[in-house]
Amino acid sequence: MNKQSLNEKDFLTVIETAELFGLSRRKMFRLTSQSGLPFMAKYGTRKLIIKDEFIKYILVTSDELQEL
C-alpha cells in the first residue's frame, strides 16, 4: 500500500502541516494551542489541521499583515 503524499491529504497533523508549508514546528504548536481556530479538528486527543481551511487562514492573515 502506497503512502499518500502530504499534498493529497485533506487532514494533516501539526508536524505534517509544518513540513508542507515550510513553517517551524514550534510556531505551529504555538498556533494550534489557541482555541477557536477555523482550521482545527479534534480526533480524540489528536489535533488535526484541515488543509483547505488552513490555506484560507494563511491568505487572510497574510493580507492583514501586508496592510500594516
Side-chain angles (χ1 to χ4, degrees):
M1 181 176 206
N2 292 334
K3 192 174 182 180
Q4 254 187 332
S5 73
L6 296 179
N7 287 328
E8 295 172 347
K9 290 184 170 184
D10 293 327
F11 293 91
L12 303 167
T13 65
V14 176
I15 294 171
E16 289 173 337
T17 304
E19 287 178 24
L20 182 62
F21 292 99
L23 305 169
S24 74
R25 290 180 179 187
R26 179 179 287 178
K27 287 188 181 187
M28 277 304 300
F29 279 109
R30 278 191 210 152
L31 177 63
T32 57
S33 68
Q34 301 173 18
S35 61
L37 296 171
F39 56 83
M40 291 290 298
K42 288 277 214 163
Y43 183 71
T45 58
R46 294 178 64 193
K47 294 178 181 178
L48 297 175
I49 310 295
I50 305 167
K51 185 173 68 175
D52 293 338
E53 293 298 319
F54 185 70
I55 292 170
K56 289 177 191 175
Y57 179 81
I58 288 175
L59 292 174
V60 168
T61 304
S62 67
D63 289 342
E64 290 174 2
L65 292 175
Q66 289 177 357
E67 291 176 3
L68 295 177

